[in-house]
Amino acid sequence: MAFKQPLPRSTRPEIRNPDLSDFVNLALQRMRYVINPDKMEPQPIIFPLAECMRWEFFTQDDWDKFGNLESEYGRLTYTLTRYPERGPPAACESILYQLLEQLSVLTVWGNVAPQLETHAMAALHDVCRQQQNAHFKQECMTKADYAMLPADYAIGERGSELTLRLWHRSLEEVASQLASGCSAYVEQFLQIHAFLKDPIYGFQKPVKDQAKLFERLFRDLGEITPIASLNTETIKQLAAQGAQESAFLMSPLLPRVSLVHFLAHHQLTYASVPLDTLARAEFSVPSHVLDVVEEMMLAATSNEGLACPIVPILVTTRPAFSKKGQYLTPIIDGNHRATAALLLRFLAGQPLLADDAAMRQRLLGYCADHGLGRKWQIDLSDVLKELYTEHYGRLRHQLTSQSPPLRKFATVQCIPALIVQEEDFHTICKQRSAGRSRPVLLHPFHQTLFNDEELPFALPQKAGQTHGRPEAFRLLPLTPFGTSQDVNGHEVFKAKIRESMNGLVGESSNMRGSRSREFGILKSGRMDLAAIASVTAAGCCLAALLLKKYGPRMLGQSG
């Protein structure tokens, strides 16, 4: 089974402090590529829209069957075909069947959408009840008390067929309208697109505002290439791409973006996200967190206490289940980095005492002061308990003897994060995939349920879910770091990192201890390959795969 690798992209300068027009221009470049794929070079892609699953790409057979799988047209068609379990609840089937019997799905959508949403919410609450009924603890005191196998709603036998027909019918209708300069049913088209990607919470997307961005994209595109001059198939692909692009432009975190970095085939959209606002679905492994703590201290020291650079975590936004109208900011990848940053900020304000029980009591006050919920309390408490074991005596000594660098963490408020959309992922449920011939996927709504602080659900450490992470990255600092403002937010940083890969690969005895390297990410966007090979859970990147896929030129190596 041959995987089709993304084509190389030209190196381009990063965009600092981008505004909406910068994001619109990037979206327009991808839409122009849909029109002229033979005359333009491929454009950088928002992660994970080139990846099929985790860090794996689509196969050549997939491309032959579904067309361009770096486009929304091909990707969503692939998802609806190959993963019917991502479809709507079975109760929606009869309504969808009746809808597809109509002459126009867009004109009738407004009449059936409330019924579909009612069924969707009923299915969500049924799943929540199933999980609550399987929960035997009255009060969750430990990680094991929260552990829960994700439940699903029932999927109808014709779900895949009906959703594919709805997708293509809606594309045909909106393409016809766009060709004639009409945008009367753009909102309905965008809500269908959102429903197909997230059958439960897609109805809560702000499609009215999204429609304005969608229309802006087509208006700006039409100034260069008249839409009416294009064939129907191209307009359908443009409509699909416009739906994807405008959905990303509506991300609640986009106003916080401070840097857009381009590397390999990726557009990496980075923001500084408040640590205290992060939700979590998955607990961390204490020993891994303490490895990251040590690396962060080394990173701060190697930068003379001016910064603590890390590989950004991945975050998304999801509607809250318990608090209607509010949004959660779940961690998609980087639980250990976030826990390490929160622990160091706590330790920076506390003298390390011999009595670990007293420290854990202080930790409860710290969590309350910062609005960190019960899952954060349990996770941090377990790491603190591990720190006080005999095995970590050396690290405790380092933290007390290096008090000036440690104190810098007391001011940290934000962690660098790559902004992604959960519904773009084919998220694997590790618990239910074991022993099966193909992975079992989670729904986007699972992120809502498992990240909600008021629900007694969590995924087990390293065994619950896997999204994957981009193989390319840009080091960015925790902020602010010992100052009232981030004065080095976009500079090139160095960090001493152990070669152990933090348990992700075998650690030989001669790699233990203080062996380290200094590394940085170059401003040109190219990577120091030897440096990446040594990066660990403060941000792991598989340099060998990058070299294999993109070659020395793409990595900035000289042959």
Side-chain angles (χ1 to χ4, degrees), residues 95-356:
I95 300 172
L96 292 175
Y97 181 82
Q98 294 173 25
L99 171 64
L100 290 165
E101 292 294 302
Q102 307 301 312
L103 291 176
S104 167
V105 297
L106 294 185
T107 56
V108 179
W109 176 257
N111 297 330
V112 303
Q115 302 172 55
L116 290 170
E117 184 174 13
T118 298
H119 287 307
M121 288 297 105
L124 176 66
H125 284 272
D126 183 60
V127 168
C128 190
R129 280 192 297 270
Q130 289 180 53
Q131 294 190 173
Q132 287 175 322
N133 291 339
H135 201 278
F136 302 107
K137 295 284 185 178
Q138 293 295 320
E139 184 177 3
C140 294
M141 303 298 293
T142 68
K143 292 175 180 177
D145 294 341
Y146 276 95
M148 175 62 56
L149 184 69
D152 277 333
Y153 52 70
I155 303 292
E157 293 181 359
R158 301 184 60 193
S160 180
E161 171 204 343
L162 294 173
T163 53
L164 278 167
R165 287 175 59 193
L166 178 60
W167 175 226
H168 291 297
R169 283 278 303 277
S170 64
L171 283 170
E172 289 168 2
E173 290 184 31
V174 79
S176 175
Q177 294 177 13
L178 291 169
S180 62
C182 175
S183 59
Y185 291 98
V186 163
E187 286 183 33
Q188 288 79 358
F189 167 70
L190 294 176
Q191 192 169 77
I192 289 173
H193 174 259
F195 165 72
L196 293 173
K197 297 193 74 166
D198 183 354
I200 303 300
Y201 280 108
F203 294 101
Q204 297 189 20
K205 292 284 187 179
V207 292
K208 188 176 292 293
D209 290 333
Q210 184 185 344
K212 296 176 183 177
L213 290 169
F214 181 93
E215 291 168 17
R216 174 179 174 178
L217 289 171
F218 271 85
R219 185 169 58 252
D220 291 354
L221 193 66
E223 292 177 358
I224 301 172
T225 304
I227 304 302
S229 69
L230 303 172
N231 61 51
T232 300
E233 193 63 27
T234 299
I235 302 176
K236 286 165 59 179
Q237 294 184 37
L238 281 174
Q241 195 64 35
Q244 164 65 37
E245 300 291 351
S246 57
F248 183 78
L249 293 175
M250 286 302 300
S251 168
L253 292 173
L254 212 64
R256 298 195 65 90
V257 171
S258 60
L259 184 70
V260 180
H261 191 65
F262 304 97
L263 195 55
H265 57 280
H266 297 296
Q267 172 189 315
L268 302 171
T269 306
Y270 291 128
S272 291
V273 178
L275 275 166
D276 297 344
T277 65
L278 295 175
R280 68 182 311 151
E282 189 172 351
F283 287 115
S284 64
V285 179
S287 60
H288 289 190
V289 173
L290 291 177
D291 283 344
V292 181
V293 164
E294 188 168 11
E295 290 169 6
M296 286 184 175
M297 288 296 294
L298 288 168
T301 302
S302 65
N303 284 278
E304 300 177 349
L306 296 176
C308 176
I310 66 170
V311 172
I313 65 173
L314 274 65
V315 299
T316 188
T317 52
R318 296 294 304 164
F321 179 83
S322 301
K323 298 178 180 179
K324 306 302 180 185
Q326 296 188 23
Y327 278 84
L328 305 172
T329 308
I331 301 171
I332 296 300
D333 179 78
N335 282 294
H336 294 89
R337 278 162 276 169
T339 302
L342 286 167
L343 182 69
L344 280 166
R345 187 177 68 180
F346 165 69
L347 295 175
Q350 306 287 337
L352 277 180
L353 306 177
D355 186 353
D356 62 312

Side-chain angles (χ1 to χ4, degrees), residues 39 47 82 202 226 296 302 308 417 487 529:
K39 297 180 181 179
F47 182 77
R82 291 288 172 82
M296 286 184 175
S302 65
C308 176
V487 295
L529 185 60

Side-chain angles (χ1 to χ4, degrees), residues 20 23 74 82 85 111 154 183 213 281 304 310 321 373 397 409 498 521-522:
L20 181 61
F23 290 111
R82 291 288 172 82
E85 64 265 34
N111 297 330
S183 59
L213 290 169
E304 300 177 349
I310 66 170
F321 179 83
H397 174 72
F409 287 91
R498 296 180 308 159
I521 301 301
L522 306 183

Side-chain angles (χ1 to χ4, degrees), residues 229-500:
S229 69
L230 303 172
N231 61 51
T232 300
E233 193 63 27
T234 299
I235 302 176
K236 286 165 59 179
Q237 294 184 37
L238 281 174
Q241 195 64 35
Q244 164 65 37
E245 300 291 351
S246 57
F248 183 78
L249 293 175
M250 286 302 300
S251 168
L253 292 173
L254 212 64
R256 298 195 65 90
V257 171
S258 60
L259 184 70
V260 180
H261 191 65
F262 304 97
L263 195 55
H265 57 280
H266 297 296
Q267 172 189 315
L268 302 171
T269 306
Y270 291 128
S272 291
V273 178
L275 275 166
D276 297 344
T277 65
L278 295 175
R280 68 182 311 151
E282 189 172 351
F283 287 115
S284 64
V285 179
S287 60
H288 289 190
V289 173
L290 291 177
D291 283 344
V292 181
V293 164
E294 188 168 11
E295 290 169 6
M296 286 184 175
M297 288 296 294
L298 288 168
T301 302
S302 65
N303 284 278
E304 300 177 349
L306 296 176
C308 176
I310 66 170
V311 172
I313 65 173
L314 274 65
V315 299
T316 188
T317 52
R318 296 294 304 164
F321 179 83
S322 301
K323 298 178 180 179
K324 306 302 180 185
Q326 296 188 23
Y327 278 84
L328 305 172
T329 308
I331 301 171
I332 296 300
D333 179 78
N335 282 294
H336 294 89
R337 278 162 276 169
T339 302
L342 286 167
L343 182 69
L344 280 166
R345 187 177 68 180
F346 165 69
L347 295 175
Q350 306 287 337
L352 277 180
L353 306 177
D355 186 353
D356 62 312
M359 285 294 285
R360 275 184 278 160
Q361 190 62 38
R362 291 187 179 188
L363 179 64
L364 295 179
Y366 166 80
C367 290
D369 290 344
H370 289 276
L372 301 173
R374 184 64 182 150
K375 283 191 278 190
W376 278 114
Q377 293 174 19
I378 291 172
D379 201 62
L380 287 164
S381 181
D382 278 7
V383 178
L384 190 62
K385 182 178 180 181
E386 184 80 5
L387 178 62
Y388 271 84
T389 62
E390 183 179 351
H391 179 75
Y392 287 99
R394 181 176 62 87
L395 178 58
R396 286 200 309 277
H397 174 72
Q398 288 177 339
L399 291 172
T400 54
S401 63
Q402 298 179 14
S403 55
L406 177 61
R407 282 199 295 269
K408 293 293 187 74
F409 287 91
T411 61
V412 169
Q413 297 175 16
C414 296
I415 189 168
L418 178 67
I419 307 305
V420 296
Q421 296 189 98
E422 172 62 25
E423 55 268 31
D424 289 338
F425 286 85
H426 298 139
T427 306
I428 297 174
C429 178
K430 289 185 177 181
Q431 294 155 286
R432 295 182 297 170
S433 297
R436 293 178 178 261
S437 59
R438 54 170 256 170
V440 176
L441 300 190
L442 292 174
H443 281 271
F445 79 78
H446 283 115
Q447 298 303 324
T448 292
L449 295 185
F450 279 84
N451 279 281
D452 196 299
E453 182 61 35
E454 297 186 24
L455 295 175
F457 311 142
L459 297 167
Q461 308 97 295
K462 292 293 185 182
Q465 62 180 338
T466 178
H467 289 80
R469 59 176 72 122
E471 293 170 350
F473 62 84
R474 165 72 146 86
L475 286 176
L476 289 170
L478 298 169
T479 54
F481 198 71
T483 62
S484 60
Q485 58 183 344
D486 171 28
V487 295
N488 294 310
H490 302 303
E491 300 303 317
V492 177
F493 296 105
K494 294 181 178 180
K496 287 187 176 181
I497 301 297
R498 296 180 308 159
E499 297 180 348
S500 68

